[in-house]
């Protein structure tokens, strides 16, 4: 992967199409825009790999800040000691000039620009007798472009469709398309192309025909699973497309049946294996993910870990953690603190996905958590931690030792942002629980709850049972929240369920509406983010701002 420079100051789409070289530190990116590149299969592959490199900052900017912090999974300090994007986003104070919004917009359009170039160039490249490889490369590019437009549509709504290489002057004239048009006219077609062109992971090869099974590039199942997610999005708010629900079920069955017929592929069979999948190990990088953003040391690491929690002492890591005040929301923390019939707690919780604190170490004070009352649905009250840390992706010394693994990920890190920890984008558990949602609607309650219990049993939690469709749906939604915590899924779940506004307002109430929060900020249109100010200024009057901003 190539190293991305800081793109927070990129001015607009016109900047992107003017210079790839300014945002990627690689000669390859410069060549990608010239007529002299994409002349051979090897050059074509370099171009494809370059598109994957565009993804680096998304774990932090989109999946942490614009999804996890926006959702009810996290509670952030509403009045931090300075301007902090995580706090602006989570309190709904953020406006169109926030740097993160422009960064994410530019990142996804950089993916699109590079994908458009690759599609145009690879189509004319002579692969001689290797048309299967050419087809695979094209499938990867269609997957990446379809995914990029999917994210733009659910983040910003109405965005411009650019599906071919354009000059800066041409880009400045492209108007917005509606989110539905983006989904119908480019996201779904691109992913169907990817679905058709891509082989399964074990058949993925490089330009010279060698296996790339360990590289984590998008394969056929990634396209199938992403299509399932797109159709589930269309089946919910604000589209409520009943036909999409039928298509979603078909896609989910393709993924689940493939897993089942291939020795439960993508399923971690034990709690220990589930815990190890987050570790920076060649054996586990892509063992259980359908698709993940790949991160390695050397300048291509995952910067989200630097920003995800409070600082940690030397017995956990020698690396500096920024110390952002981003905490596990207290009702979610309660799920990890429950004691089950065997006297144990959820095995995904403390010490693995969350951290409640640590003792004092030399020159490092103890971390003191706080507790307060949480009112449960039945009216009872429990004491629950309010400042627990997100810990799922942190390969700390203590976690590595607990898992009995021999890893030293910090040794080769270039800096504190260079963590070699993948971000899973598509996981089997996500597919299982979306399928369970659809089963509930069909009245197949026992089948639906069985998927929930498969996940709970592995985590050491008591099984759940119900004959009520409403209760079953609650159990599924709760399990999605627990299992997929920290992965940037929750906000988009709340949106497609049409629950984002009530849940966020209830979140503010549960923390007693402190200074810095205002439920009036949770306006009707704010399930979308604002079109970034820099983009509005490219061609004044060309784009319309989203409702609520």
């Amino acid at each position: 992967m190539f190293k991305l420079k800081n793109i927070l100051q990129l001015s607009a789409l016109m900047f992107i199409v003017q210079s790839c070289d300014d945002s990627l530190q690689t000669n390859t990116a410069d060549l990608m825009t010239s007529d002299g590149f994409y002349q051979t299969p090897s050059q074509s592959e370099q171009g494809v790999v370059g598109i994957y490199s565009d993804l680096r900052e998304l774990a932090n900017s989109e999946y942490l800040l614009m999804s996890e912090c926006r959702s009810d999974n996290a509670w952030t300090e509403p009045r931090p000691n300075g301007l902090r994007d995580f706090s602006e986003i989570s309190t709904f104070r953020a406006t169109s000039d926030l740097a993160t919004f422009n960064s994410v917009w530019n990142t996804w359009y950089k993916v699109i620009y590079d994908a458009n170039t690759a599609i145009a160039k690879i189509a004319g490249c002579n692969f001689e007798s290797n048309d299967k490889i050419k087809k695979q490369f094209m499938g990867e590019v269609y997957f990446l472009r379809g995914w990029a437009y999917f994210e733009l549509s659910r983040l910003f709504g109405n965005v411009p469709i650019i599906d071919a290489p354009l000059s800066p002057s041409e880009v400045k004239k492209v108007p917005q398309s509606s989110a539905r048009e983006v989904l119908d006219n480019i996201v779904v077609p691109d992913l169907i192309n990817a679905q058709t062109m891509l082989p399964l992971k074990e058949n993925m090869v490089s330009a010279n025909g060698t296996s790339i099974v360990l590289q984590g590039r998008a394969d056929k199942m990634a396209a199938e699973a992403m299509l399932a997610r797109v159709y589930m999005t269309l089946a919910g708010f604000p589209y409520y497309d009943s036909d999409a629900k039928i298509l979603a079920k078909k896609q989910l069955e393709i993924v689940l049946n493939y897993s089942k017929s291939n020795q439960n592929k993508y399923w971690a069979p034990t709690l220990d294996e589930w815990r190890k999948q987050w570790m920076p190990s060649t054996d586990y990088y892509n063992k259980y993910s359908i698709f993940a953003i790949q991160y390695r040391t050397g300048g291509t690491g995952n910067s989200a870990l630097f920003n995800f929690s409070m600082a940690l002492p030397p017995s956990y890591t020698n690396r500096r953690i920024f110390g952002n005040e981003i905490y596990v929301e207290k009702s979610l923390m309660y799920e990890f603190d429950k004691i089950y019939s065997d006297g144990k707690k959820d095995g995904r919780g403390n010490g693995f996905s969350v951290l409640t604190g640590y003792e004092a170490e030399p020159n490092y004070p103890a971390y003191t958590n706080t507790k307060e009352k949480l009112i449960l649905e039945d009216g009872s009250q429990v004491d629950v931690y309010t400042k627990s840390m997100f810990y799922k992706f942190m390969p700390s010394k203590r976690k590595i030792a607990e898992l009995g693994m021999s890893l030293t990920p910090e040794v080769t890190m270039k800096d504190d942002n260079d963590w070699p920890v993948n971000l899973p984008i598509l996981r089997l558990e996500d597919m299982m629980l979306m399928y369970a949602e659809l089963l509930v609607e069909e009245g197949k309650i026992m089948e639906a709850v069985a998927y929930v219990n498969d996940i709970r049993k592995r985590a050491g939690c008591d099984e759940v049972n119900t004959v009520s469709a409403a209760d079953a749906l609650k159990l599924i939604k709760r399990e999605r929240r627990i299992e997929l915590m920290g992965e940037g899924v929750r906000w988009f779940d709340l949106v497609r369920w049409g629950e984002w506004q009530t849940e966020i307002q209830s979140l503010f109430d549960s923390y007693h509406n402190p200074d810095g929060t205002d439920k009036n900020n949770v306006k009707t249109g704010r399930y979308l983010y604002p079109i970034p100010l820099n983009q509005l200024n490219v061609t004044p009057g060309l784009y319309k701002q989203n409702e609520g901003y």
Side-chain angles (χ1 to χ4, degrees):
M1 294 175 73
F2 306 104
K3 181 182 177 183
L4 286 168
K5 284 185 178 178
N6 185 343
I7 61 173
L8 296 181
Q9 301 303 316
L10 293 179
S11 61
L13 281 173
M14 59 180 290
F15 180 94
I16 296 174
V17 299
Q18 283 173 325
S19 175
C20 287
D21 190 49
D22 285 346
S23 56
L24 281 177
Q25 292 182 337
T26 170
N27 292 330
T28 302
D30 185 49
L31 288 169
M32 282 169 59
T33 63
S34 73
D35 291 335
F37 205 61
Y38 286 102
Q39 299 300 306
T40 66
S42 179
Q43 289 180 348
S44 295
E45 184 174 27
Q46 289 179 58
V48 173
V49 171
I51 305 172
Y52 286 100
S53 77
D54 295 340
L55 306 173
R56 185 190 175 192
E57 294 302 325
L58 292 169
N60 184 66
S61 56
E62 177 178 344
Y63 292 96
L64 169 58
L65 297 180
M66 293 178 72
S67 181
E68 211 65 20
C69 288
R70 188 73 154 188
S71 78
D72 61 348
N73 273 1
W75 177 257
T76 72
E77 172 54 52
R79 290 296 187 197
N81 59 347
L83 179 65
R84 298 285 182 265
D85 284 14
F86 69 82
S87 184
E88 298 300 307
I89 290 170
S90 66
T91 58
F92 286 68
R93 297 191 305 255
T95 55
S96 63
D97 60 348
L98 197 75
T100 292
F101 300 158
N102 199 52
S103 172
V104 170
W105 177 288
N106 279 330
T107 295
W108 281 122
Y109 272 104
K110 180 66 170 65
V111 170
I112 290 163
Y113 172 75
D114 288 346
N116 287 339
T117 301
I119 290 168
K121 296 288 187 178
I122 294 174
C125 179
N126 183 8
F127 277 66
E128 297 180 351
S129 61
N130 296 321
D131 279 347
K132 286 186 178 179
I133 297 176
K134 181 177 185 176
K135 188 176 179 182
Q136 174 197 305
F137 291 171
M138 290 288 281
E140 290 182 76
V141 176
Y142 277 118
F143 173 87
L144 291 165
R145 189 176 72 173
W147 174 30
Y149 272 113
F150 176 51
E151 296 302 331
L152 285 166
S153 70
R154 61 182 188 162
L155 289 169
F156 300 107
N158 303 339
V159 299
I161 294 178
I162 302 168
D163 59 1
L166 299 180
S167 69
S169 61
E170 290 172 322
V171 167
K172 291 166 66 176
K173 298 175 183 177
V174 179
Q176 292 164 291
S177 294
S178 72
R180 184 63 200 247
E181 289 172 334
V182 173
L183 291 165
D184 286 345
N185 297 335
I186 194 159
V187 174
V188 171
D190 273 6
L191 292 176
I192 289 175
N193 278 334
Q195 175 192 48
T196 304
M197 294 177 170
L198 284 169
L200 295 169
K201 181 184 291 187
E202 55 268 27
N203 297 320
M204 296 277 288
V205 295
S206 67
N208 61 16
T210 59
S211 174
I212 58 168
V213 68
L214 297 178
Q215 290 189 16
R217 285 157 59 176
D219 75 335
K220 184 178 181 64
M221 278 302 120
E224 303 281 15
M226 189 66 78
L227 262 175
R229 180 174 285 176
V230 170
Y231 288 138
M232 285 296 286
T233 298
L234 283 167
F237 175 86
Y239 308 103
Y240 296 118
D241 186 329
S242 56
D243 290 335
K245 197 172 294 185
I246 296 169
L247 293 168
K249 186 180 181 187
K250 176 185 174 184
Q251 287 303 127
L252 291 165
E253 286 174 344
I254 289 172
V255 177
L256 297 176
N257 289 339
Y258 174 78
S259 170
K260 186 176 180 179
S261 63
N262 286 272
Q263 300 172 325
N264 294 320
K265 191 177 180 70
Y266 312 122
W267 173 256
T270 66
L271 177 60
D272 197 51
E273 284 291 289
W274 185 92
R275 291 168 170 174
K276 287 179 178 178
Q277 72 178 305
W278 315 107
M279 293 294 99
S281 161
T282 301
D283 292 337
Y284 286 93
Y285 267 130
N286 298 295
K287 188 173 183 178
Y288 299 118
S289 295
I290 299 173
F291 177 71
I293 299 178
Q294 307 294 302
Y295 291 103
R296 304 293 184 269
T297 58
T300 60
N302 188 341
S303 63
L305 276 69
F306 177 69
N307 293 300
F308 223 138
S309 74
M310 300 299 290
L312 294 171
S315 69
Y316 287 81
T317 177
N318 293 326
R319 287 290 174 177
R320 175 175 172 256
I321 306 298
F322 187 75
N324 282 327
E325 296 165 292
I326 302 172
Y327 307 112
V328 180
E329 192 275 330
K330 60 186 177 181
S331 68
L332 177 55
M333 188 61 219
Y334 167 69
E335 298 296 337
F336 292 119
D337 257 355
K338 287 180 181 176
I339 298 175
Y340 291 101
S341 57
D342 61 359
K344 298 179 181 179
K345 298 180 181 180
D346 190 323
R348 297 167 291 187
N350 197 35
F352 293 95
S353 290
V354 299
L355 191 66
T356 57
Y358 46 75
E359 296 179 354
E361 297 184 19
N363 302 315
Y364 219 99
Y367 182 85
T368 304
N369 208 327
T370 59
K371 280 190 172 184
E372 65 177 48
K373 297 291 184 183
L374 175 68
I375 302 174
L376 304 179
E377 283 189 13
D378 63 4
S380 62
Q381 296 187 16
V382 293
D383 291 322
V384 64
Y385 285 115
T386 61
K387 292 190 175 181
S388 297
M389 292 171 270
F390 286 90
Y391 191 58
K392 191 174 197 173
F393 298 109
M394 174 55 64
S396 69
K397 299 175 190 176
R398 291 193 175 205
K399 192 186 289 187
I400 291 169
E402 177 74 16
L403 293 172
M405 303 178 80
S406 298
L407 302 172
T408 54
E410 298 180 30
V411 173
T412 56
M413 286 174 60
K414 184 177 180 179
D415 54 40
D416 297 329
N417 290 286
D418 199 30
W419 288 95
V421 178
N422 286 355
L423 175 70
I425 300 300
L426 298 164
R427 286 209 291 131
L428 185 67
E429 292 86 345
D430 182 11
M431 303 293 118
M432 292 165 62
L433 293 170
M434 285 194 290
Y435 190 62
E437 289 180 48
L438 298 178
L439 290 176
V440 169
E441 292 195 20
E442 295 178 355
K444 299 175 181 177
I445 308 302
M446 291 181 65
E447 288 182 47
V449 173
Y451 281 107
V452 175
N453 283 330
D454 284 343
I455 295 169
R456 291 181 64 78
K457 284 184 291 185
R458 182 181 59 188
C461 303
D462 290 347
E463 294 184 44
V464 293
N465 293 288
T466 184
V467 295
S468 161
D471 288 344
L473 197 55
K474 283 184 180 179
L475 293 171
I476 292 165
K477 290 178 177 180
R478 182 183 69 176
E479 202 59 36
R480 285 186 65 81
R481 189 183 187 200
I482 299 168
E483 174 67 23
L484 303 173
M485 183 201 80
E487 298 174 39
V489 174
R490 178 67 174 178
W491 170 249
F492 299 112
D493 275 352
L494 292 177
V495 171
R496 69 181 177 86
W497 294 331
E499 298 174 359
W500 67 274
Q501 194 169 29
T502 55
E503 290 298 328
I504 299 303
Q505 289 175 340
S506 295
L507 171 68
F508 288 2
D509 285 340
S510 72
Y511 280 83
H512 316 297
N513 297 291
D515 180 44
T517 64
D518 184 346
K519 289 192 291 185
N520 290 323
N521 286 335
V522 191
K523 298 177 182 178
T524 299
R526 292 193 173 181
Y527 68 93
L528 295 173
Y529 285 101
I531 303 299
L533 181 61
N534 282 6
Q535 311 305 326
L536 293 172
N537 289 339
V538 171
T539 304
L542 182 64
Y543 298 163
K544 181 180 178 182
Q545 186 55 278
N546 288 327
E547 179 186 0
Y549 297 98

